[in-house]
Amino acid sequence: MNPIDEYVSFETRRQFLGKAAKGLGIAALASIVGPGLRGSASRSPGFGPGTLGMTHFPAKAKRGIYLFMSGAPSQLDMYDYKPEMQSMFDKDLPDSVRRGQRLTTMTSGQARFPIAPSIFDFEQVGKSGAWISELLPYTKKIVDDIAIVKSIWTEAINHDPAITYIQTGNQIPGRPSLGAWLSYGLGSLNENLPTFVVLNSTWTGRKEAQALFSRLWGAGPLPSEHQGVSLRSKGDPVLYLTDPNGISRETRRDMLDGVNEINEDLYHEFGDPETHARISQYEMAFRMQSSVPDLTDLSDEPDYIFDLYGPDAKVPGTFAYNCLMARRLAEKGVRFSQIFHRGWDQHGVLPKDLPNQCKDVDQASYALITDLKQRGMLDDTLVIWGGEFGRTLYCQGTLTESNYGRDHHPKCYTKWIAGAGVKGGTVYGETDDFGYNIVKDPVHIRDLNATILNRFGVDHQQLSFKHQGLDLRLTGVEYARVVNQILA
């Protein structure tokens, strides 16, 4: 029987009224339900094309790597050079610039908003003449490979809703993340590894950092096998990857076959598609017991690669280690990997903490681009770097010539993108002399997500999922555009 017809025939009234999840949700079963779900570790229920079947137009990216700087890096100290501000040190930010914009409770009670120019030197580099801070000496070397977008903006002003927004397209938790959408729409490239992998990094800047919740890489109402799988830096890379003492592979296979038979019976009784999602995940977990240990064993990497990524590349859990791991994941066909690096929330002592944060990521980010490029993989691998919002020109707390902090600022900030047909050596968008408002080529985070999907051959308006009477999309229902100006 056709898997869609089978699903409909077994769906109960309770399932229909409770989930209302037909439409494209049912179409997803075509990549899950199939012959031979039971009894063989070689079967791949979740492997192959996603619900789209084929892309809407030729894809430039086969896979993506998202380097997410959680906490909001200061664009004013890294990418958005404002030399005119040096002469305005400690002067009040004009009301005509601030325009009554929303403030956080951390600075809304300040008597004044003193201008804090960056204390770091900038240099103009690359064919584009991009201004890059002294904090990023390695990034200067790849400036002709990346498109720097200085006019990103968002409505969210606090960390959790802002990170949720950029990851899922909505400030309210519960929606699918970007990686889950790519998994759902495009499917898997490797039957033995997850389609979407998450790596959390250690950091050396401000020790107090915003918590990261698994819902940031969750699948929301999509079938659960599309959620991100988090790889750990200590113990088993994935929890319970190793069989307990006394359990052989044959015993594990027999146990899994028995569980799958029970789940098949439950499916035929209730018709719940999540039952087949569970079977798919069990089978994937079984295959990962062989594939993941090989993946995370870096002993086959030559010394020159470790030298490229820097000394931290041999330390599990560091950003450099995770960037090297992301390259290995990309080589093995993992569709999307995301590296989170926390500690970018410099409300105070920015001149002390920000250099440490930059040192964590600068060489490794350069190495990742360089490594992908020398392997011929940058042409079809999309790399994104940046955080959830920007930071204010004015100082939070006490301002001195050698010390300052910056509050949250959602109205303009900087990200960069590389690979997969992105026009390297591009600087797009402009902010005013105060780095406070966008004056040219604004890019909302919806536009950014639409552009990311475009690189994968996906029209953001045509990838949706019916849930609770709505056609959910990563970019929501408001207008979003592809930023063609940064595409080759």
Side-chain angles (χ1 to χ4, degrees), residues 271-293:
D272 186 348
E274 275 298 301
T275 305
H276 274 135
R278 188 180 303 119
I279 294 173
S280 176
Q281 289 171 312
Y282 286 161
E283 293 291 342
M284 172 61 76
F286 184 85
R287 296 192 299 274
M288 284 170 58
Q289 289 185 301
S290 298
S291 62
V292 170

Side-chain angles (χ1 to χ4, degrees), residues 380-403:
D380 57 10
T381 304
L382 186 70
V383 182
I384 310 105
W385 185 102
E388 67 268 32
F389 44 62
R391 308 207 78 89
T392 58
L393 175 70
Y394 66 78
C395 179
Q396 176 177 341
T398 302
L399 171 65
T400 70
E401 292 185 355
S402 60
N403 190 35

Side-chain angles (χ1 to χ4, degrees), residues 36-109:
L37 278 172
R38 296 168 292 173
S40 173
S42 64
R43 296 293 183 184
S44 310
F47 176 60
T51 191
L52 293 179
M54 60 184 296
T55 58
H56 298 126
F57 38 81
K60 295 293 185 181
K62 289 182 180 178
R63 53 205 166 247
I65 301 171
Y66 203 140
L67 311 177
F68 193 79
M69 309 296 115
S70 175
S74 172
Q75 77 283 4
L76 295 164
D77 296 282
M78 300 171 70
Y79 295 104
D80 203 359
Y81 184 42
K82 299 300 176 186
E84 301 87 354
M85 294 298 100
Q86 297 300 324
S87 63
M88 298 190 68
F89 173 80
D90 202 25
K91 295 182 179 179
D92 288 342
L93 182 68
D95 289 340
S96 60
V97 174
R98 193 160 64 85
R99 302 177 187 174
Q101 291 178 24
R102 181 185 177 193
L103 305 175
T104 74
T105 56
M106 292 171 284
T107 54
S108 59

Side-chain angles (χ1 to χ4, degrees), residues 223-244:
S224 57
E225 74 265 25
H226 300 298
Q227 65 190 1
V229 173
S230 181
L231 293 189
R232 307 189 312 152
S233 59
K234 294 182 180 179
D236 280 346
V238 179
L239 283 172
Y240 312 116
L241 191 69
T242 303
D243 286 327

Side-chain angles (χ1 to χ4, degrees), residues 19-25 184 221 464-472:
K19 288 203 166 187
K22 294 195 180 70
L24 291 178
Y184 171 72
S464 63
F465 184 83
K466 287 189 178 298
H467 177 66
Q468 295 182 342
L470 299 175
D471 290 325
L472 298 185

